[in-house]
PDB file of all heavy atoms in Angstrom:
ATOM      1  N   ALA A   1     -70.401  46.534  49.176  1.00  0.00           N
ATOM      2  CA  ALA A   1     -71.344  45.532  48.703  1.00  0.00           C
ATOM      3  C   ALA A   1     -72.718  46.004  49.057  1.00  0.00           C
ATOM      4  O   ALA A   1     -72.930  46.515  50.131  1.00  0.00           O
ATOM      5  CB  ALA A   1     -71.034  44.145  49.358  1.00  0.00           C
ATOM      6  N   ASP A   2     -73.684  45.832  48.197  1.00  0.00           N
ATOM      7  CA  ASP A   2     -74.976  46.322  48.417  1.00  0.00           C
ATOM      8  C   ASP A   2     -76.014  45.308  48.025  1.00  0.00           C
ATOM      9  O   ASP A   2     -75.715  44.316  47.297  1.00  0.00           O
ATOM     10  CB  ASP A   2     -75.233  47.564  47.628  1.00  0.00           C
ATOM     11  CG  ASP A   2     -76.334  48.517  48.272  1.00  0.00           C
ATOM     12  OD1 ASP A   2     -76.842  48.126  49.314  1.00  0.00           O
ATOM     13  OD2 ASP A   2     -76.621  49.584  47.624  1.00  0.00           O
ATOM     14  N   GLU A   3     -77.170  45.395  48.603  1.00  0.00           N
ATOM     15  CA  GLU A   3     -78.259  44.484  48.318  1.00  0.00           C
ATOM     16  C   GLU A   3     -78.671  44.410  46.836  1.00  0.00           C
ATOM     17  O   GLU A   3     -78.442  45.361  46.128  1.00  0.00           O
ATOM     18  CB  GLU A   3     -79.492  44.739  49.217  1.00  0.00           C
ATOM     19  CG  GLU A   3     -79.993  46.219  48.972  1.00  0.00           C
ATOM     20  CD  GLU A   3     -81.020  46.389  47.926  1.00  0.00           C
ATOM     21  OE1 GLU A   3     -81.565  45.401  47.444  1.00  0.00           O
ATOM     22  OE2 GLU A   3     -81.268  47.523  47.507  1.00  0.00           O
ATOM     23  N   VAL A   4     -79.268  43.276  46.473  1.00  0.00           N
ATOM     24  CA  VAL A   4     -79.898  43.200  45.146  1.00  0.00           C
ATOM     25  C   VAL A   4     -81.355  43.381  45.365  1.00  0.00           C
ATOM     26  O   VAL A   4     -82.022  42.606  46.089  1.00  0.00           O
ATOM     27  CB  VAL A   4     -79.633  41.755  44.563  1.00  0.00           C
ATOM     28  CG1 VAL A   4     -80.331  41.597  43.246  1.00  0.00           C
ATOM     29  CG2 VAL A   4     -78.129  41.582  44.360  1.00  0.00           C
ATOM     30  N   GLY A   5     -81.939  44.459  44.780  1.00  0.00           N
ATOM     31  CA  GLY A   5     -83.259  44.911  45.062  1.00  0.00           C
ATOM     32  C   GLY A   5     -84.320  43.817  45.259  1.00  0.00           C
ATOM     33  O   GLY A   5     -84.667  43.108  44.388  1.00  0.00           O
ATOM     34  N   GLY A   6     -84.809  43.788  46.540  1.00  0.00           N
ATOM     35  CA  GLY A   6     -85.929  42.942  46.793  1.00  0.00           C
ATOM     36  C   GLY A   6     -85.599  41.515  47.182  1.00  0.00           C
ATOM     37  O   GLY A   6     -86.462  40.738  47.553  1.00  0.00           O
ATOM     38  N   ALA A   7     -84.409  41.049  46.940  1.00  0.00           N
ATOM     39  CA  ALA A   7     -84.052  39.651  47.255  1.00  0.00           C
ATOM     40  C   ALA A   7     -83.986  39.461  48.786  1.00  0.00           C
ATOM     41  O   ALA A   7     -83.727  40.385  49.508  1.00  0.00           O
ATOM     42  CB  ALA A   7     -82.640  39.327  46.640  1.00  0.00           C
ATOM     43  N   ARG A   8     -84.198  38.273  49.251  1.00  0.00           N
ATOM     44  CA  ARG A   8     -84.167  37.943  50.647  1.00  0.00           C
ATOM     45  C   ARG A   8     -82.741  37.732  51.047  1.00  0.00           C
ATOM     46  O   ARG A   8     -81.869  37.272  50.344  1.00  0.00           O
ATOM     47  CB  ARG A   8     -84.918  36.667  50.933  1.00  0.00           C
ATOM     48  CG  ARG A   8     -86.452  36.834  50.660  1.00  0.00           C
ATOM     49  CD  ARG A   8     -87.130  35.544  50.880  1.00  0.00           C
ATOM     50  NE  ARG A   8     -86.641  34.771  52.003  1.00  0.00           N
ATOM     51  CZ  ARG A   8     -87.058  33.559  52.323  1.00  0.00           C
ATOM     52  NH1 ARG A   8     -87.939  32.956  51.586  1.00  0.00           N
ATOM     53  NH2 ARG A   8     -86.534  32.866  53.374  1.00  0.00           N
ATOM     54  N   SER A   9     -82.413  38.143  52.282  1.00  0.00           N
ATOM     55  CA  SER A   9     -81.146  37.963  52.953  1.00  0.00           C
ATOM     56  C   SER A   9     -79.947  38.728  52.337  1.00  0.00           C
ATOM     57  O   SER A   9     -78.788  38.386  52.547  1.00  0.00           O
ATOM     58  CB  SER A   9     -80.817  36.484  52.946  1.00  0.00           C
ATOM     59  OG  SER A   9     -81.792  35.678  53.459  1.00  0.00           O
ATOM     60  N   GLU A  10     -80.255  39.794  51.594  1.00  0.00           N
ATOM     61  CA  GLU A  10     -79.188  40.536  50.889  1.00  0.00           C
ATOM     62  C   GLU A  10     -78.300  41.258  51.894  1.00  0.00           C
ATOM     63  O   GLU A  10     -77.128  41.402  51.645  1.00  0.00           O
ATOM     64  CB  GLU A  10     -79.708  41.401  49.788  1.00  0.00           C
ATOM     65  CG  GLU A  10     -80.835  42.387  50.129  1.00  0.00           C
ATOM     66  CD  GLU A  10     -82.181  41.799  50.234  1.00  0.00           C
ATOM     67  OE1 GLU A  10     -82.819  41.402  49.321  1.00  0.00           O
ATOM     68  OE2 GLU A  10     -82.643  41.703  51.412  1.00  0.00           O
ATOM     69  N   GLU A  11     -78.866  41.733  53.060  1.00  0.00           N
ATOM     70  CA  GLU A  11     -77.991  42.411  54.044  1.00  0.00           C
ATOM     71  C   GLU A  11     -76.959  41.436  54.542  1.00  0.00           C
ATOM     72  O   GLU A  11     -75.776  41.805  54.644  1.00  0.00           O
ATOM     73  CB  GLU A  11     -78.860  42.941  55.181  1.00  0.00           C
ATOM     74  CG  GLU A  11     -77.952  43.651  56.221  1.00  0.00           C
ATOM     75  CD  GLU A  11     -78.847  44.256  57.338  1.00  0.00           C
ATOM     76  OE1 GLU A  11     -80.011  44.072  57.388  1.00  0.00           O
ATOM     77  OE2 GLU A  11     -78.198  44.871  58.224  1.00  0.00           O
ATOM     78  N   LEU A  12     -77.399  40.205  54.743  1.00  0.00           N
ATOM     79  CA  LEU A  12     -76.471  39.172  55.172  1.00  0.00           C
ATOM     80  C   LEU A  12     -75.381  38.884  54.149  1.00  0.00           C
ATOM     81  O   LEU A  12     -74.196  38.802  54.434  1.00  0.00           O
ATOM     82  CB  LEU A  12     -77.175  37.789  55.510  1.00  0.00           C
ATOM     83  CG  LEU A  12     -76.340  36.671  55.983  1.00  0.00           C
ATOM     84  CD1 LEU A  12     -75.544  37.043  57.275  1.00  0.00           C
ATOM     85  CD2 LEU A  12     -77.185  35.464  56.191  1.00  0.00           C
ATOM     86  N   ALA A  13     -75.764  38.840  52.869  1.00  0.00           N
ATOM     87  CA  ALA A  13     -74.848  38.660  51.753  1.00  0.00           C
ATOM     88  C   ALA A  13     -73.804  39.724  51.712  1.00  0.00           C
ATOM     89  O   ALA A  13     -72.554  39.440  51.592  1.00  0.00           O
ATOM     90  CB  ALA A  13     -75.554  38.521  50.397  1.00  0.00           C
ATOM     91  N   SER A  14     -74.240  40.987  51.853  1.00  0.00           N
ATOM     92  CA  SER A  14     -73.260  42.076  51.752  1.00  0.00           C
ATOM     93  C   SER A  14     -72.336  42.074  52.883  1.00  0.00           C
ATOM     94  O   SER A  14     -71.092  42.339  52.771  1.00  0.00           O
ATOM     95  CB  SER A  14     -73.928  43.450  51.573  1.00  0.00           C
ATOM     96  OG  SER A  14     -74.611  43.819  52.805  1.00  0.00           O
ATOM     97  N   GLN A  15     -72.799  41.655  54.138  1.00  0.00           N
ATOM     98  CA  GLN A  15     -71.939  41.639  55.321  1.00  0.00           C
ATOM     99  C   GLN A  15     -70.946  40.497  55.149  1.00  0.00           C
ATOM    100  O   GLN A  15     -69.738  40.632  55.459  1.00  0.00           O
ATOM    101  CB  GLN A  15     -72.748  41.414  56.583  1.00  0.00           C
ATOM    102  CG  GLN A  15     -73.541  42.631  56.923  1.00  0.00           C
ATOM    103  CD  GLN A  15     -74.521  42.285  58.124  1.00  0.00           C
ATOM    104  OE1 GLN A  15     -74.668  41.196  58.601  1.00  0.00           O
ATOM    105  NE2 GLN A  15     -75.144  43.327  58.614  1.00  0.00           N
ATOM    106  N   ILE A  16     -71.396  39.335  54.730  1.00  0.00           N
ATOM    107  CA  ILE A  16     -70.438  38.195  54.472  1.00  0.00           C
ATOM    108  C   ILE A  16     -69.426  38.528  53.509  1.00  0.00           C
ATOM    109  O   ILE A  16     -68.215  38.249  53.652  1.00  0.00           O
ATOM    110  CB  ILE A  16     -71.264  36.943  54.091  1.00  0.00           C
ATOM    111  CG1 ILE A  16     -72.136  36.474  55.259  1.00  0.00           C
ATOM    112  CG2 ILE A  16     -70.323  35.855  53.568  1.00  0.00           C
ATOM    113  CD1 ILE A  16     -73.168  35.427  54.831  1.00  0.00           C
ATOM    114  N   ILE A  17     -69.726  39.147  52.403  1.00  0.00           N
ATOM    115  CA  ILE A  17     -68.805  39.518  51.334  1.00  0.00           C
ATOM    116  C   ILE A  17     -67.689  40.387  51.965  1.00  0.00           C
ATOM    117  O   ILE A  17     -66.515  40.197  51.767  1.00  0.00           O
ATOM    118  CB  ILE A  17     -69.469  40.221  50.164  1.00  0.00           C
ATOM    119  CG1 ILE A  17     -70.352  39.223  49.334  1.00  0.00           C
ATOM    120  CG2 ILE A  17     -68.426  40.871  49.239  1.00  0.00           C
ATOM    121  CD1 ILE A  17     -71.236  39.828  48.420  1.00  0.00           C
ATOM    122  N   MET A  18     -68.144  41.415  52.702  1.00  0.00           N
ATOM    123  CA  MET A  18     -67.145  42.339  53.246  1.00  0.00           C
ATOM    124  C   MET A  18     -66.248  41.638  54.325  1.00  0.00           C
ATOM    125  O   MET A  18     -65.023  41.900  54.329  1.00  0.00           O
ATOM    126  CB  MET A  18     -67.881  43.540  53.891  1.00  0.00           C
ATOM    127  CG  MET A  18     -68.461  44.531  52.857  1.00  0.00           C
ATOM    128  SD  MET A  18     -67.273  45.238  51.687  1.00  0.00           S
ATOM    129  CE  MET A  18     -67.527  44.179  50.267  1.00  0.00           C
ATOM    130  N   GLU A  19     -66.827  40.828  55.169  1.00  0.00           N
ATOM    131  CA  GLU A  19     -66.027  40.105  56.127  1.00  0.00           C
ATOM    132  C   GLU A  19     -64.970  39.161  55.462  1.00  0.00           C
ATOM    133  O   GLU A  19     -63.815  39.157  55.864  1.00  0.00           O
ATOM    134  CB  GLU A  19     -66.943  39.246  57.054  1.00  0.00           C
ATOM    135  CG  GLU A  19     -67.718  40.086  58.032  1.00  0.00           C
ATOM    136  CD  GLU A  19     -68.706  39.318  58.803  1.00  0.00           C
ATOM    137  OE1 GLU A  19     -68.660  38.021  58.853  1.00  0.00           O
ATOM    138  OE2 GLU A  19     -69.615  39.899  59.489  1.00  0.00           O
ATOM    139  N   ILE A  20     -65.373  38.455  54.443  1.00  0.00           N
ATOM    140  CA  ILE A  20     -64.474  37.517  53.806  1.00  0.00           C
ATOM    141  C   ILE A  20     -63.437  38.296  52.994  1.00  0.00           C
ATOM    142  O   ILE A  20     -62.252  37.930  53.017  1.00  0.00           O
ATOM    143  CB  ILE A  20     -65.260  36.469  52.936  1.00  0.00           C
ATOM    144  CG1 ILE A  20     -66.063  35.606  53.787  1.00  0.00           C
ATOM    145  CG2 ILE A  20     -64.314  35.741  52.035  1.00  0.00           C
ATOM    146  CD1 ILE A  20     -67.061  34.716  53.043  1.00  0.00           C
ATOM    147  N   LEU A  21     -63.849  39.279  52.290  1.00  0.00           N
ATOM    148  CA  LEU A  21     -62.869  40.186  51.540  1.00  0.00           C
ATOM    149  C   LEU A  21     -61.882  40.742  52.511  1.00  0.00           C
ATOM    150  O   LEU A  21     -60.644  40.803  52.214  1.00  0.00           O
ATOM    151  CB  LEU A  21     -63.562  41.244  50.743  1.00  0.00           C
ATOM    152  CG  LEU A  21     -64.236  40.764  49.457  1.00  0.00           C
ATOM    153  CD1 LEU A  21     -65.104  41.848  48.837  1.00  0.00           C
ATOM    154  CD2 LEU A  21     -63.155  40.255  48.418  1.00  0.00           C
ATOM    155  N   ASN A  22     -62.347  41.256  53.598  1.00  0.00           N
ATOM    156  CA  ASN A  22     -61.487  41.886  54.604  1.00  0.00           C
ATOM    157  C   ASN A  22     -60.440  40.829  54.995  1.00  0.00           C
ATOM    158  O   ASN A  22     -59.199  41.157  54.972  1.00  0.00           O
ATOM    159  CB  ASN A  22     -62.311  42.397  55.741  1.00  0.00           C
ATOM    160  CG  ASN A  22     -61.413  43.163  56.800  1.00  0.00           C
ATOM    161  OD1 ASN A  22     -60.504  43.799  56.480  1.00  0.00           O
ATOM    162  ND2 ASN A  22     -61.901  43.036  58.053  1.00  0.00           N
ATOM    163  N   GLU A  23     -60.869  39.760  55.461  1.00  0.00           N
ATOM    164  CA  GLU A  23     -59.956  38.687  55.956  1.00  0.00           C
ATOM    165  C   GLU A  23     -59.000  38.205  54.881  1.00  0.00           C
ATOM    166  O   GLU A  23     -57.851  38.085  55.027  1.00  0.00           O
ATOM    167  CB  GLU A  23     -60.754  37.474  56.503  1.00  0.00           C
ATOM    168  CG  GLU A  23     -59.872  36.350  57.062  1.00  0.00           C
ATOM    169  CD  GLU A  23     -60.735  35.221  57.604  1.00  0.00           C
ATOM    170  OE1 GLU A  23     -61.827  35.463  58.148  1.00  0.00           O
ATOM    171  OE2 GLU A  23     -60.225  34.096  57.447  1.00  0.00           O
ATOM    172  N   ALA A  24     -59.537  37.857  53.682  1.00  0.00           N
ATOM    173  CA  ALA A  24     -58.803  37.431  52.596  1.00  0.00           C
ATOM    174  C   ALA A  24     -57.752  38.450  52.184  1.00  0.00           C
ATOM    175  O   ALA A  24     -56.573  38.059  51.931  1.00  0.00           O
ATOM    176  CB  ALA A  24     -59.644  37.044  51.384  1.00  0.00           C
ATOM    177  N   PHE A  25     -58.145  39.685  52.077  1.00  0.00           N
ATOM    178  CA  PHE A  25     -57.251  40.712  51.579  1.00  0.00           C
ATOM    179  C   PHE A  25     -56.098  40.965  52.593  1.00  0.00           C
ATOM    180  O   PHE A  25     -54.969  41.078  52.227  1.00  0.00           O
ATOM    181  CB  PHE A  25     -57.950  41.983  51.289  1.00  0.00           C
ATOM    182  CG  PHE A  25     -57.482  42.608  50.044  1.00  0.00           C
ATOM    183  CD1 PHE A  25     -58.000  42.275  48.837  1.00  0.00           C
ATOM    184  CD2 PHE A  25     -56.490  43.630  50.020  1.00  0.00           C
ATOM    185  CE1 PHE A  25     -57.540  42.727  47.628  1.00  0.00           C
ATOM    186  CE2 PHE A  25     -55.993  44.155  48.843  1.00  0.00           C
ATOM    187  CZ  PHE A  25     -56.548  43.732  47.686  1.00  0.00           C
ATOM    188  N   VAL A  26     -56.387  40.903  53.854  1.00  0.00           N
ATOM    189  CA  VAL A  26     -55.371  41.074  54.879  1.00  0.00           C
ATOM    190  C   VAL A  26     -54.403  39.894  54.858  1.00  0.00           C
ATOM    191  O   VAL A  26     -53.208  40.045  55.008  1.00  0.00           O
ATOM    192  CB  VAL A  26     -55.980  41.158  56.254  1.00  0.00           C
ATOM    193  CG1 VAL A  26     -54.972  41.019  57.454  1.00  0.00           C
ATOM    194  CG2 VAL A  26     -56.785  42.453  56.440  1.00  0.00           C
ATOM    195  N   ASN A  27     -54.866  38.688  54.584  1.00  0.00           N
ATOM    196  CA  ASN A  27     -54.037  37.490  54.682  1.00  0.00           C
ATOM    197  C   ASN A  27     -53.389  37.058  53.360  1.00  0.00           C
ATOM    198  O   ASN A  27     -52.529  36.152  53.396  1.00  0.00           O
ATOM    199  CB  ASN A  27     -54.832  36.273  55.249  1.00  0.00           C
ATOM    200  CG  ASN A  27     -55.255  36.639  56.669  1.00  0.00           C
ATOM    201  OD1 ASN A  27     -54.425  37.135  57.467  1.00  0.00           O
ATOM    202  ND2 ASN A  27     -56.448  36.249  57.037  1.00  0.00           N
ATOM    203  N   LEU A  28     -53.847  37.602  52.218  1.00  0.00           N
ATOM    204  CA  LEU A  28     -53.258  37.182  50.958  1.00  0.00           C
ATOM    205  C   LEU A  28     -51.845  37.581  50.768  1.00  0.00           C
ATOM    206  O   LEU A  28     -51.465  38.686  51.183  1.00  0.00           O
ATOM    207  CB  LEU A  28     -54.146  37.745  49.771  1.00  0.00           C
ATOM    208  CG  LEU A  28     -55.482  37.042  49.576  1.00  0.00           C
ATOM    209  CD1 LEU A  28     -56.251  37.754  48.474  1.00  0.00           C
ATOM    210  CD2 LEU A  28     -55.306  35.563  49.258  1.00  0.00           C
ATOM    211  N   GLN A  29     -51.093  36.786  50.088  1.00  0.00           N
ATOM    212  CA  GLN A  29     -49.645  37.117  49.843  1.00  0.00           C
ATOM    213  C   GLN A  29     -49.313  37.422  48.404  1.00  0.00           C
ATOM    214  O   GLN A  29     -48.250  37.787  48.112  1.00  0.00           O
ATOM    215  CB  GLN A  29     -48.770  35.941  50.304  1.00  0.00           C
ATOM    216  CG  GLN A  29     -48.947  35.589  51.698  1.00  0.00           C
ATOM    217  CD  GLN A  29     -48.600  36.703  52.666  1.00  0.00           C
ATOM    218  OE1 GLN A  29     -47.584  37.381  52.448  1.00  0.00           O
ATOM    219  NE2 GLN A  29     -49.480  37.019  53.662  1.00  0.00           N
ATOM    220  N   GLU A  30     -50.369  37.309  47.509  1.00  0.00           N
ATOM    221  CA  GLU A  30     -50.100  37.589  46.070  1.00  0.00           C
ATOM    222  C   GLU A  30     -49.646  38.992  45.885  1.00  0.00           C
ATOM    223  O   GLU A  30     -50.182  39.922  46.459  1.00  0.00           O
ATOM    224  CB  GLU A  30     -51.399  37.420  45.235  1.00  0.00           C
ATOM    225  CG  GLU A  30     -51.774  36.017  44.969  1.00  0.00           C
ATOM    226  CD  GLU A  30     -52.737  35.389  46.056  1.00  0.00           C
ATOM    227  OE1 GLU A  30     -52.865  36.012  47.117  1.00  0.00           O
ATOM    228  OE2 GLU A  30     -53.322  34.408  45.748  1.00  0.00           O
ATOM    229  N   GLU A  31     -48.598  39.146  45.079  1.00  0.00           N
ATOM    230  CA  GLU A  31     -48.012  40.480  44.779  1.00  0.00           C
ATOM    231  C   GLU A  31     -48.790  41.161  43.650  1.00  0.00           C
ATOM    232  O   GLU A  31     -48.960  42.333  43.721  1.00  0.00           O
ATOM    233  CB  GLU A  31     -46.526  40.371  44.409  1.00  0.00           C
ATOM    234  CG  GLU A  31     -45.688  39.936  45.631  1.00  0.00           C
ATOM    235  CD  GLU A  31     -45.684  40.941  46.781  1.00  0.00           C
ATOM    236  OE1 GLU A  31     -45.655  42.125  46.511  1.00  0.00           O
ATOM    237  OE2 GLU A  31     -45.772  40.454  47.917  1.00  0.00           O
ATOM    238  N   ASP A  32     -49.272  40.393  42.719  1.00  0.00           N
ATOM    239  CA  ASP A  32     -49.981  40.981  41.611  1.00  0.00           C
ATOM    240  C   ASP A  32     -51.383  41.483  42.028  1.00  0.00           C
ATOM    241  O   ASP A  32     -52.162  40.688  42.670  1.00  0.00           O
ATOM    242  CB  ASP A  32     -50.173  39.940  40.456  1.00  0.00           C
ATOM    243  CG  ASP A  32     -50.946  40.514  39.313  1.00  0.00           C
ATOM    244  OD1 ASP A  32     -50.338  41.310  38.581  1.00  0.00           O
ATOM    245  OD2 ASP A  32     -52.097  40.153  39.116  1.00  0.00           O
ATOM    246  N   ALA A  33     -51.690  42.735  41.741  1.00  0.00           N
ATOM    247  CA  ALA A  33     -52.959  43.350  42.229  1.00  0.00           C
ATOM    248  C   ALA A  33     -54.180  42.612  41.675  1.00  0.00           C
ATOM    249  O   ALA A  33     -55.148  42.363  42.440  1.00  0.00           O
ATOM    250  CB  ALA A  33     -52.970  44.792  41.777  1.00  0.00           C
ATOM    251  N   GLU A  34     -54.114  42.243  40.396  1.00  0.00           N
ATOM    252  CA  GLU A  34     -55.326  41.526  39.880  1.00  0.00           C
ATOM    253  C   GLU A  34     -55.510  40.201  40.486  1.00  0.00           C
ATOM    254  O   GLU A  34     -56.624  39.755  40.759  1.00  0.00           O
ATOM    255  CB  GLU A  34     -55.182  41.462  38.344  1.00  0.00           C
ATOM    256  CG  GLU A  34     -55.412  42.779  37.631  1.00  0.00           C
ATOM    257  CD  GLU A  34     -55.302  42.641  36.119  1.00  0.00           C
ATOM    258  OE1 GLU A  34     -55.616  41.604  35.617  1.00  0.00           O
ATOM    259  OE2 GLU A  34     -54.888  43.658  35.549  1.00  0.00           O
TER     260      GLU A  34
END
């Protein structure tokens, strides 16, 4: 995840996205990749 040029708080947004995706992906049980 990367910043959107010049927007405020984009570093926080990219960190939050990665933290939530990490947690969600580890805990998800769906078999279908999509």
